[in-house]
Amino acid sequence: MLVNRSCPCGSGQPLSACCGIYLGHEAAPPTAEALMRSRYTAFVLRNADYLLATWDPLHRPRHIDLTKDQPEWLGLEILRTESGKADDCAGQVEFIARFRLHGAEQTLHERSRFRKQDKGWVYVDGDILTHTERNVSDSLGTQRNIGRNAPCPCGSGQKYKRCCGG
């Protein structure tokens, strides 16, 4: 990892002092929000191993293909957290992730659920907080939709309707 690169999670810190320590397995994220930020960073860096390792085994897909038709992640905004502190056993993080797919800028607005297990926080699942065909604006201001049959922007390799849109 590049020491001087800013962390993609938007913390303003260098990657090596922020999510890089979690992706490098030097430490476990202490809160649900820290795990959410590190998972976003893993999507940006296309680190499928980290994503699978931090996914609740009861909800985890068998594999994630981050090699083809993947979005370009543009930014993460944490809107709110509910519980998920170091002393909690569960928590939620609501966020908006911006990305570009097939030339159109889009957003993913989700409320993610996390739980703490022996090895630390894991992602359980999430609810998309916009309607199934999400309206977004591309760089020209033209409204676009992510159809139910489009590849899911989470990188699972499944159709949106069978993954995050289901």
Side-chain angles (χ1 to χ4, degrees):
M1 287 182 209
L2 301 174
V3 174
N4 294 325
R5 178 181 178 181
S6 291
C7 191
C9 82
S11 68
Q13 298 180 32
L15 175 61
S16 61
C18 190
C19 294
I21 62 175
Y22 309 133
L23 273 69
H25 304 288
E26 298 168 39
T31 65
E33 181 180 339
L35 179 62
M36 173 64 234
R37 289 180 176 280
S38 68
R39 286 178 56 82
Y40 173 83
T41 298
F43 274 111
V44 171
L45 300 176
R46 299 182 183 205
N47 185 336
D49 291 340
Y50 182 80
L51 292 167
L52 290 171
T54 57
W55 209 315
D56 185 323
L58 299 174
H59 297 89
R60 168 176 53 217
R62 288 185 163 192
H63 71 282
I64 300 174
D65 184 359
L66 299 179
T67 62
K68 54 186 168 190
D69 202 25
Q70 291 302 305
E72 173 191 0
W73 295 99
L74 305 172
L76 175 68
E77 179 184 359
I78 303 295
L79 300 177
R80 69 181 193 89
T81 60
E82 184 178 310
S83 301
K85 304 285 188 236
D87 296 341
D88 294 326
C89 59
Q92 294 184 12
V93 179
E94 183 178 341
F95 69 92
I96 295 176
R98 294 181 307 104
F99 63 97
R100 184 177 296 116
L101 185 64
H102 305 299
E105 287 193 21
Q106 304 176 43
T107 59
L108 172 65
H109 184 179
E110 179 176 322
R111 184 178 302 120
S112 296
R113 285 179 284 282
F114 299 87
R115 72 174 182 87
K116 206 178 222 181
Q117 65 176 23
D118 296 339
K119 297 178 184 178
W121 288 99
V122 292
Y123 170 76
V124 177
D125 60 16
D127 296 320
I128 303 297
L129 298 178
T130 54
H131 56 82
T132 301
E133 297 251 341
R134 292 176 283 142
N135 288 321
V136 295
S137 296
D138 65 15
S139 59
L140 301 175
T142 306
Q143 289 292 309
R144 303 279 185 212
N145 293 320
I146 295 180
R148 291 176 44 77
N149 290 319
C152 190
C154 79
S156 67
Q158 298 180 30
K159 291 181 180 182
Y160 178 69
K161 69 182 178 185
R162 301 249 182 247
C163 193
C164 295

